Amino acid sequence: MSTHILILCTHNSARSVLAEGMLNHWAKKLGRDVVAHSAGSAPSGRVNPLALEALAASGVSVEAPRSKSWDEFTQPGAAPLAAVITVCDSAAKETCPFFPGAPVQVHWGYPDPSDAEGGDDGKRRAFELTRQALGYRMLQLLALPIETMDAAALRAALQAIAKT
């Protein structure tokens, strides 16, 4: 049975999409049965093209990402979540809805690469650096035996990753 991880950011257009892409990419490469999803509390309805560009340039599939509401993951029949990770400070401050199964919830904050200075080149650099940082944490997550960890151990391990 797949282990499902939900990554949240308010608009689900940049950081959460980068995280979803990187976790799914590394899980596939490592042969892990882990599936990443992303969503937002107030989805923009579009994925930032620079997020897709950064993923594609690193060899990550960009076919699946779409900006969607976290409400999709509260419905009957939604994938059972092992963890919910917020990647933007505004989403972390919001009250999350009830996700079935009471998944572990942690925060891994990143600045919004869309706000980077330096015009398009500065934004591209910021998106790539954010993709790399998220990719590193996703590799750390995949090094855990998440399928067999209880909630307390998983929460502690994910919080420790947040400090790296």
Side-chain angles (χ1 to χ4, degrees), residues 47-64:
V47 173
N48 188 307
L50 294 176
L52 297 175
E53 183 180 305
L55 289 169
S58 65
V60 176
S61 172
V62 293
E63 294 175 14

Side-chain angles (χ1 to χ4, degrees), residues 22-157:
M22 293 310 301
L23 182 52
N24 284 330
H25 174 77
W26 287 125
K28 183 177 178 182
K29 289 261 187 207
L30 297 171
R32 295 290 302 275
D33 192 11
V34 175
V35 180
H37 308 275
S38 68
S41 57
S44 67
R46 72 172 193 84
V47 173
N48 188 307
L50 294 176
L52 297 175
E53 183 180 305
L55 289 169
S58 65
V60 176
S61 172
V62 293
E63 294 175 14
R66 67 181 176 87
S67 180
K68 59 198 161 296
S69 172
W70 62 14
D71 291 338
E72 287 188 25
F73 299 90
T74 65
Q75 305 302 312
L81 302 171
V84 175
I85 302 169
T86 54
V87 291
C88 73
D89 293 339
S90 58
K93 293 176 188 171
E94 296 180 85
T95 301
C96 285
F98 172 78
F99 293 109
V104 167
Q105 295 186 17
V106 297
H107 178 61
W108 294 352
Y110 292 88
D112 187 351
S114 303
D115 293 337
E117 295 181 3
D120 286 345
D121 287 341
K123 288 184 190 326
R124 279 189 175 84
R125 272 191 303 278
F127 270 88
E128 176 56 17
L129 290 172
T130 303
R131 184 202 62 77
Q132 289 176 19
L134 284 162
Y136 175 68
R137 282 191 176 162
M138 294 309 164
L139 280 171
Q140 292 178 308
L141 183 154
L142 290 167
L144 301 171
I146 55 179
E147 302 86 353
T148 59
M149 297 174 82
D150 65 29
L154 180 57
R155 180 176 292 105

